[in-house]
Amino acid sequence: MVLHTPAAPDLVENIIPIAEENLSRKDYASDVDTRWCPGCGDYSILAQMQRSLSNINVAPEKMVFVSGIGCSSRFPYYMNTYGIHSIHGRAPTIASGLKLSRPDLQVFVITGDGDALSIGGNHLLHVLRRNVDVKIFLFNNRIYGLTKGQYSPTSELGKVTKSSPIGTTERPLNPLSVALASEATFVARSFDTDPQHLQTTIEQAARHHGAAFVEILQNCNIFNDRAFADYTDREVRDERLLYLKHGQPMLFGEDQNKGLAVSATGLRVVDAHGPDVGLILTHDATRPAPDVHQLLARCQYPEMPVPMGVIRQVTAPTYGDYLDSQIEVAKFKNRQDVAQLLKGRSTWQVE
Amino acid sequence: MTTTSPQANGSGGGSAPIQERDRVTVRFAGDSGDGMQLAGNRFADATAVFGNDFSTLPDFPAEIRAPAGSLAGVSSFQISFSKHQIFTPGDEPDTLVAMNPAALKSHLSALTKGGLLVINEDAFTSGNLKKANYPSNPLADGSLEEYRVIKAPITTAAIAAVDDLGLTTQNAERTKNFFALGLVYWLYDRDLQPTLDWIEDRFGRLPNIAEANRRALHAGHAYGETTEIADAHVRVPPAVLTPGEYRTITGNQALVLGLITASHLTDLELFYGSYPITPASDVLVELAALREFGVRTFQAEDEISAIGTAIGAAYGGGLGVTGTSGPGIALKSEALNLAVMTELPLLVLDVQRSGPSTGMPTKTEQTDLLQVMFGRNGESPLCVLAAKSPGDCFYMVLEAVRLAFQFVTPVVLLSDTYLANTAEPWPVPDVNQLNKIDVPYRKLEHIDPEDFQPYARDPETLARTFVPPGIKGLEHRIGGLEKSDISGDVAYSPENHQRMTDLRGEKIRRIANFIPELEVDGPESGDMLVLSWGSTYGAVFTAVNDAREAGHEIAHAHLQYLNPFPRNLGDVVSRYNKVLIPEANTGQLRMLIRANFLVDAQGYNEVTGQPLSARLLTEAIIKLASE
C-alpha cells in the first residue's frame, strides 16, 4: 500500500484580527448581568479573558465564543463578542465547522470538566487530533455545579457527592494527559486565583496556530470548595506549584531551591543546591516527543509539584491549512464549471 | 462524450427474426463478488445511449462479501426499459440472469411465468447447490419447466475467451460478468460500443484486464448470435422523450449536484459535515472529490459532530449541510433542535433506510417522516421536504436551500435507499436558467447597530434577523436557552415562552405561502383520490394509470412538501369520497392527514424493504374504487 502523505501547506502564523481603536477590558464585557454564584472562580477567569483580549486588542466582531452546557458555558453571554451557547459537550463540533468555513474568525471554546470530558469526550479527542485552529478553555472544578453537586469525570476516587453518598467508585481523568494523548499541539494549565499567570496563558493560547488546550483550575465554592487549595493557596504556591517556562530549568520552591530531574520511573524532585543540580531538566515545550510533557502532566500533589503554564507547544499545519490548500490546488488544476459538472461523464442527445 | 441515439440499429444477427416489445424488465443476480452491479450499470448506460426510457433497481446485501455462493451473498440489479416513459423499475422481471444456484433460489419467484432464465450452468456444482439449499439440481429435475431456460457455460466460456492473455485463474474467471452482459446485449439488441468505451476508460491503464473484459463481452455476444435462442431476440424501440441533452442520474448523484448548484446559486461555499452511513455515504464520497468548487467536506467522528460542524458553518453564514440516514437522524436530534431554537439556515439530508435500529441498511423504507416531524424534545417545528424521483433530488435540494435561507430555519430533505441507488435518464438542466437563491443577511451588512435586534422578524415570513459573526457593532449571543422575543436575550417569562413557541410554529406554517399548491392529476373531485409522497411517486403514478385503464376514474396527487403542507391540501382531500394513501411504512402520512384534516383516509402499506409493487397497488386501488 502506498501511503499518501499530503504536502504540508506552508505554516501560517496565527493572524489575530486587531481592532482599529484601542480597546479596554470593559469593551469586551457585555451588558448582561453575570449569574454565577458569588465567590465563583469563573468571575476571575472572565476578567482575565477580557484583559487578555484587550492586551492583544482583538477586534470583537471577529471573536466568537462557543460553549456547551454547564456553569462555565454561560461564559459567552458575558462577552461583548459574537457567541453561541450550544448543547452539552458539542461545542468543539460547532467551533470546528465555524472555524473551517470562516478562517477569518478567532474561535474560542469554553467548556467544563463534565462538558468536555464526559458527554463531549469524543469531540475533545478529535478536535485536538485534527488540530483545528480553535482555543479550548476547560474550567475544571471537579464537580457538576449547574445540576447541583454530582461527581464529574475529574472527581477523585472515593469522593462523596450528592450522587456518590458513600464515595465514587471510578477513577478520574487527567485533562492534560487526555489532551497530550490526543496529539494536541498546545497544552497548558493555569488557575483562577493567579490573574497574571492566567492572562499570560490565555494570550499564549490565543497566539498559537492550531488547536490550543488550556485547563483552568477553577474553584466551585458551593459544591466543591477549596478543591485545589492545597497547592494554589497563596501561602503554599511557591512550594507546591511548578511554573513552567520554555527554555528555563524546572525549578520551584522558596528561592527556587528544588528542581525536577528524570528518575528511573518518571520524574523526581532534587535539591537545586545539592549534587544532582546538573540533572535538573530544562523545559522544552517544543520537544516533538510528548514523553516529558506526559510525565509533567502526571505530576500530582502531594508527591510532586503541580505544573502550571505551557507544557507543550509544537508547530504543525492545522486541519484548515490542509483543507484550504487542497481547495486551492483543486481550483488551480481543475477548471470544471457547474454546467460541465451537471453533464457528468457522458450525455446523449434526444432529438 | 455526447452521442446521438440511433433510430434503428437492428443488428440482424441470429437466424430468427427479431421481435419488437414495448417494455422489458431484466434482473441480473449473482454473488456479491460476481460484478452484478457493474453489469447492470453498463446495461443501463447502453440502454440510455440506445434511447429507451429506463429505471433501475440495485439490491445488494449489507455484508460486503458474504460467503461465496451463499444465499446471504446474493446481489441483484434490475433494469426496466421501454419505448414509453416509465416511472418504476418494474415489478416482475421478464428475464432473470442467475449466475449461481443461490441467485436462482433467491430470485426465481419474482420471474414472470414463461419468462426467460439465463443460467450460468458452470456454477451449478453440488457444493453450490448445497449452499443454496437445493436438494436436487433444478437444471435437471424439471422444476424450471415453466420458464424458457438458456443454460450457458458462462464461467468456462469466459475463461476460454481470455485463455492466452496470461491472467490468473481468478482474474480470468472475473470476466464472467462481461460474458453474461454480452449475451444479454445480444438478446436485447444493445450496442456494445458504450461498454467498450467504458472498459477503455476504466481499465486503460491495465491493458490485459481491459482486453480480457472486451473479449468476454464479445464472446458472450457471439454466444447469443451462434446459439439457437430463437424466441429470445427482442428489441424495444427507442422512447419518444422530450428533446434535449440527457444523462443518467441516481438520487444520491442528484443530491450532490444539487448541493454544488445551490452553492453556485447562493454564492456561498458549501460545508458538508457527515459520518459514513449507508445509504448516504455516497454523498460524502462524491462531494469530497469536488474541492475545486470550494467544497469543504468534513468526515466527522460521529453523527452528532457531523451536524454540529454543519451548524457551525451555517452560523458562520455559509451553506451548512449534513447528510445521514434514519439512525443518524436519531443521534442528531438534539443538535437539530439547537438549530430550531437558534433559527439557523441548515439543510439536513435524510436518505431513509429500513429500521428500526440498524434494520436493513441497504433496503428502502419511508419510515422517518414522523421522526423528522416530531422526534425532538419540546415544540420543535421545522420544514420537511421529500423528493419524488432520482432527478427530483436535485431540484428539491435547491428548494430546501431556498427555504432555509428565506425562513432562517433548518430544513430536512427526505430521500431513501430506492431513490439513492436507482438510475434514470435525466434532462441536464441549464444552470443559467436556474434562479439565484437569495441570502437575506447580505442586505444587513450596513444595518445601524442601534436598529439591530437578532430576533426581530420579517413581518411576512417571520424569519428572524440572522447576522453571522464578523460585522462590527452587531456582536450578539445566541443559544439553546429560550429567547426573548425581538432582543434574543435569555428569557424565562411564561408569556414570552408562549409567544416564542407560537412564533416558531407560525413561521413554519407561513412557508405554505411561498410554495406551490398541490396539483391534482385527474378529476378535481369525485370518488377517489390517491395521495402519495416521496419515492413511491413512480409506482403510484403507474398504478393509478393502470387502474384508470381498467375503467376507474381516479385522481392522484403527490406531496413534495410535508411540513408545512401545501395550502390547498385540506381542500383537496375533502373533495373525494375516498382517500387512499400508499406508503412504504405503516401509515405515517395517513396519520398526519387524518389528524390535520379529519378525513377518513385509508392506507396501502408495504414494509418489505423493497419499493412498492405497482401491480399489487393497482389491485388495492381497484378494490377500494369498486367498494
Side-chain angles (χ1 to χ4, degrees):
Chain A
M1 193 180 78
V2 180
L3 188 66
H4 179 69
T5 312
D10 293 336
L11 269 180
V12 191
E13 232 181 284
N14 197 29
I15 302 160
I16 302 180
I18 302 298
E20 287 163 16
E21 60 274 43
N22 271 330
L23 299 177
S24 72
R25 179 201 151 184
K26 286 201 172 114
D27 294 314
Y28 294 94
S30 78
D31 53 8
V32 173
D33 295 332
T34 40
R35 288 199 195 165
W36 290 310
C37 309
C40 175
D42 287 352
Y43 284 97
S44 167
I45 304 175
L46 178 66
Q48 305 333 315
M49 180 65 78
Q50 291 163 349
R51 286 199 181 95
S52 300
L53 296 187
S54 111
N55 292 346
I56 302 172
N57 214 44
V58 184
E61 72 272 17
K62 294 286 192 180
M63 277 288 329
V64 184
F65 281 88
V66 184
S67 65
I69 294 293
C71 292
S72 61
S73 289
R74 299 299 174 102
F75 197 95
Y77 290 118
Y78 310 136
M79 296 297 300
N80 188 26
T81 63
Y82 285 89
I84 178 164
H85 174 217
S86 74
I87 46 175
H88 210 5
R90 320 302 174 196
T93 71
I94 290 164
S96 293
L98 179 61
K99 179 67 190 182
L100 295 176
S101 56
R102 287 289 304 275
D104 59 311
L105 300 174
Q106 288 298 299
V107 181
F108 283 21
V109 171
I110 303 296
T111 183
D113 38 316
D115 194 55
L117 295 169
S118 202
I119 193 165
N122 192 26
H123 308 307
L124 179 67
L125 190 78
H126 291 281
V127 72
L128 294 175
R129 168 179 78 83
R130 295 188 179 112
N131 202 27
V132 181
D133 190 14
V134 299
K135 321 303 166 197
I136 298 162
F137 299 91
L138 188 158
F139 302 1
N140 182 10
N141 56 17
R142 309 187 84 166
I143 198 79
Y144 280 85
L146 202 59
T147 49
K148 301 195 169 104
Q150 299 82 11
Y151 62 89
S152 92
T154 55
S155 297
E156 319 79 282
L157 175 64
K159 188 174 185 69
V160 173
T161 71
K162 284 192 182 163
S163 54
S164 55
I166 50 174
T168 69
T169 51
E170 51 187 80
R171 290 177 299 159
L173 275 176
N174 177 327
L176 298 183
S177 288
V178 172
L180 289 166
S182 306
E183 308 293 337
T185 53
F186 182 103
V187 179
R189 181 195 273 147
S190 188
F191 60 110
D192 52 5
T193 53
D194 187 341
Q196 196 52 54
H197 187 264
L198 182 52
Q199 274 179 53
T200 309
T201 309
I202 291 172
E203 284 179 50
Q204 285 171 304
R207 293 184 196 283
H208 176 68
H209 179 66
F213 177 82
V214 182
E215 180 193 14
I216 302 174
L217 307 183
Q218 173 248 324
N219 192 46
C220 171
N221 57 322
I222 305 296
F223 295 110
N224 197 17
D225 198 20
R226 298 183 57 75
F228 310 103
D230 285 347
Y231 39 96
T232 58
D233 270 357
R234 218 163 283 277
E235 312 77 64
V236 295
R237 251 179 227 176
D238 287 350
E239 201 57 37
R240 298 176 184 173
L241 295 182
L242 169 68
Y243 283 99
L244 290 168
K245 283 204 177 83
H246 175 66
Q248 301 287 315
M250 296 183 193
L251 294 172
F252 68 103
E254 220 172 315
D255 307 325
Q256 310 265 293
N257 63 348
K258 281 174 271 191
L260 288 192
V262 176
S263 77
T265 54
L267 296 175
R268 65 189 170 111
V269 177
V270 298
D271 184 349
H273 305 301
D276 286 348
V277 62
L279 299 178
I280 292 174
L281 291 167
T282 295
H283 180 47
D284 182 3
T286 64
R287 181 181 167 81
D291 44 11
V292 180
H293 304 151
Q294 198 57 273
L295 293 175
L296 284 167
R298 308 299 295 180
C299 286
Q300 286 186 60
Y301 176 82
E303 296 80 15
M304 299 291 282
V306 177
M308 290 290 165
V310 179
I311 289 180
R312 180 175 178 79
Q313 182 172 17
V314 294
T315 51
T318 65
Y319 188 104
D321 293 338
Y322 280 118
L323 187 57
D324 292 346
S325 87
Q326 283 192 355
I327 289 173
E328 210 174 304
V329 170
K331 280 184 174 169
F332 178 77
K333 276 191 181 167
N334 196 335
R335 300 187 183 277
Q336 181 178 218
D337 64 14
V338 176
Q340 286 166 304
L341 179 75
L342 293 184
K343 289 184 184 183
R345 291 165 74 96
S346 69
T347 62
W348 68 94
Q349 202 70 37
V350 173
E351 311 286 343
Chain B
M1 183 183 81
T2 304
T3 40
T4 303
S5 64
Q7 289 309 306
N9 192 27
S11 68
S15 50
I18 190 160
Q19 306 168 28
E20 203 153 289
R21 296 255 289 276
D22 283 3
R23 178 175 183 171
V24 164
T25 301
V26 179
R27 186 181 294 181
F28 296 87
D31 212 44
S32 300
D34 283 347
M36 292 298 97
Q37 302 301 323
L38 186 152
N41 278 306
R42 291 308 98 221
F43 193 90
D45 210 36
T47 298
V49 171
F50 183 76
N52 291 128
D53 195 13
F54 69 91
S55 176
T56 69
L57 177 65
D59 189 7
F60 40 85
E63 295 76 17
I64 303 300
R65 288 285 157 87
S70 69
L71 289 162
V74 175
S75 168
S76 74
F77 187 103
Q78 180 162 316
I79 176 166
S80 192
F81 50 105
S82 172
K83 67 181 268 198
H84 303 295
Q85 250 195 305
I86 55 169
F87 300 89
T88 75
D91 291 338
E92 291 94 7
D94 310 296
T95 295
L96 173 65
V97 179
M99 297 295 280
N100 67 10
L104 183 68
K105 181 102 178 192
S106 303
H107 291 282
L108 185 63
S109 62
L111 185 64
T112 322
K113 291 286 176 273
L116 185 66
L117 254 176
V118 178
I119 285 179
N120 177 15
E121 62 180 356
D122 292 336
F124 282 67
T125 60
S126 61
N128 280 342
L129 289 165
K130 205 170 159 198
K131 282 185 206 164
N133 300 331
Y134 271 119
S136 63
N137 189 342
L139 302 187
D141 65 9
S143 60
L144 302 177
E145 267 175 0
E146 290 174 283
Y147 307 95
R148 293 174 296 143
V149 182
I150 301 175
K151 286 183 277 188
I154 292 178
T155 311
T156 46
I159 291 172
V162 304
D163 187 34
D164 56 340
L165 291 172
L167 300 181
T168 62
T169 316
Q170 198 190 11
N171 278 343
E173 201 186 318
R174 271 196 191 154
T175 62
K176 65 179 181 285
N177 60 337
F178 279 97
F179 185 95
L181 189 59
L183 173 53
V184 179
Y185 279 175
W186 182 83
L187 292 174
Y188 293 106
D189 199 35
R190 303 283 94 155
D191 187 5
L192 301 185
Q193 199 54 47
T195 307
L196 295 170
D197 291 345
W198 182 87
I199 290 172
E200 184 54 35
D201 191 51
R202 172 61 71 93
F203 297 109
R205 279 194 277 181
L206 301 165
N208 246 15
I209 302 285
E211 179 59 18
N213 287 333
R214 273 194 293 271
R215 284 199 199 173
L217 185 73
H218 282 297
H221 195 262
Y223 183 89
E225 217 171 313
T226 53
T227 313
E228 290 299 311
I229 315 175
D231 60 342
H233 198 191
V234 168
R235 185 166 178 276
V236 177
V240 181
L241 297 170
T242 312
E245 189 175 18
Y246 280 73
R247 61 166 287 172
T248 301
I249 202 161
T250 65
N252 273 351
Q253 286 170 341
L255 291 177
V256 169
L257 297 183
L259 291 173
I260 299 287
T261 305
S263 163
H264 174 73
L265 297 175
T266 51
D267 200 15
L268 290 176
E269 284 193 335
L270 171 65
F271 183 97
Y272 186 75
S274 192
Y275 185 75
I277 182 170
T278 303
S281 312
D282 294 346
V283 180
L284 171 65
V285 169
E286 295 200 17
L287 282 172
L290 296 173
R291 292 264 189 266
E292 66 265 31
F293 291 98
V295 177
R296 288 178 164 82
T297 51
F298 183 87
Q299 184 175 312
E301 61 272 24
D302 60 26
E303 293 282 357
I304 299 170
S305 171
I307 188 172
T309 55
I311 289 172
Y315 171 69
L319 177 53
V321 184
T322 185
T324 187
S325 188
I329 292 287
L331 285 161
K332 290 179 195 295
S333 299
E334 189 195 17
L336 190 49
N337 231 353
L338 177 69
V340 169
M341 191 59 147
T342 50
E343 300 187 43
L344 289 171
L346 175 76
L347 173 57
V348 180
L349 307 176
D350 176 3
V351 188
Q352 302 165 93
R353 69 187 214 190
S354 288
S357 188
T358 311
M360 301 193 288
T362 57
K363 311 297 175 192
T364 197
E365 227 163 76
Q366 294 184 295
T367 40
D368 289 350
L369 176 59
L370 295 183
Q371 180 180 216
V372 299
M373 283 289 295
F374 304 117
R376 293 172 297 284
N377 67 301
E379 293 290 341
S380 173
L382 48 67
C383 179
V384 181
L385 311 181
K388 67 176 186 179
S389 67
D392 189 47
C393 289
F394 174 85
Y395 293 101
M396 291 315 280
V397 167
L398 302 187
E399 192 62 348
V401 171
R402 172 180 79 84
L403 294 172
F405 280 97
Q406 188 179 3
F407 286 84
V408 194
T409 178
V411 178
V412 177
L413 172 57
L414 295 170
S415 173
D416 59 32
T417 308
Y418 168 58
L419 291 183
N421 296 327
T422 206
E424 64 175 13
W426 186 58
V428 178
D430 178 355
V431 69
N432 297 315
Q433 299 295 312
L434 299 169
N435 293 328
K436 286 274 171 197
I437 297 173
D438 190 33
V439 179
Y441 74 73
R442 290 207 176 105
K443 299 188 191 94
L444 300 169
E445 288 263 337
H446 304 293
I447 193 173
D448 183 345
E450 295 298 314
D451 297 337
F452 173 63
Q453 300 279 8
Y455 276 72
R457 290 174 192 277
D458 179 287
E460 212 181 345
T461 61
L462 295 183
R464 79 170 181 94
T465 314
F466 165 56
V467 170
I471 303 173
K472 198 173 169 182
L474 304 188
E475 295 87 354
H476 65 285
R477 278 64 57 192
I478 60 171
L481 289 170
E482 180 61 291
K483 303 287 171 297
S484 183
D485 187 17
I486 302 169
S487 75
D489 293 339
V490 174
Y492 287 92
S493 94
E495 302 77 21
N496 181 73
H497 182 52
Q498 181 71 57
R499 190 160 58 249
M500 292 301 279
T501 303
D502 295 344
L503 279 168
R504 286 187 286 264
E506 178 61 15
K507 177 175 88 166
I508 298 302
R509 278 190 289 279
R510 287 199 187 178
I511 293 174
N513 297 333
F514 294 83
I515 59 174
E517 292 204 335
L518 183 65
E519 283 180 26
V520 177
D521 170 40
E524 283 297 310
S525 63
D527 186 52
M528 183 164 161
L529 170 75
V530 179
L531 181 67
S532 53
W533 71 277
S535 71
T536 58
Y537 173 76
V540 177
F541 180 89
T542 306
V544 166
N545 279 330
D546 290 352
R548 284 174 183 161
E549 278 179 22
H552 300 275
E553 205 182 346
I554 290 161
H556 176 211
H558 188 83
L559 286 167
Q560 288 164 292
Y561 300 85
L562 280 308
N563 199 38
F565 286 133
R567 280 191 301 193
N568 62 332
L569 178 59
D571 178 44
V572 169
V573 294
S574 65
R575 295 202 302 253
Y576 300 87
N577 298 330
K578 299 168 197 154
V579 176
L580 179 71
I581 303 181
E583 294 179 84
N585 60 41
T586 59
Q588 300 197 3
L589 175 66
R590 180 161 45 109
M591 183 187 284
L592 295 177
I593 295 293
R594 293 173 81 123
N596 277 282
F597 306 115
L598 295 174
V599 166
D600 184 20
Q602 303 300 303
Y604 173 82
N605 303 91
E606 282 181 23
V607 192
T608 61
Q610 296 296 324
L612 291 193
S613 149
R615 186 176 59 76
L616 295 176
L617 178 56
T618 308
E619 289 168 11
I621 291 172
I622 291 172
K623 183 165 176 278
L624 186 62
S626 312
E627 273 173 15

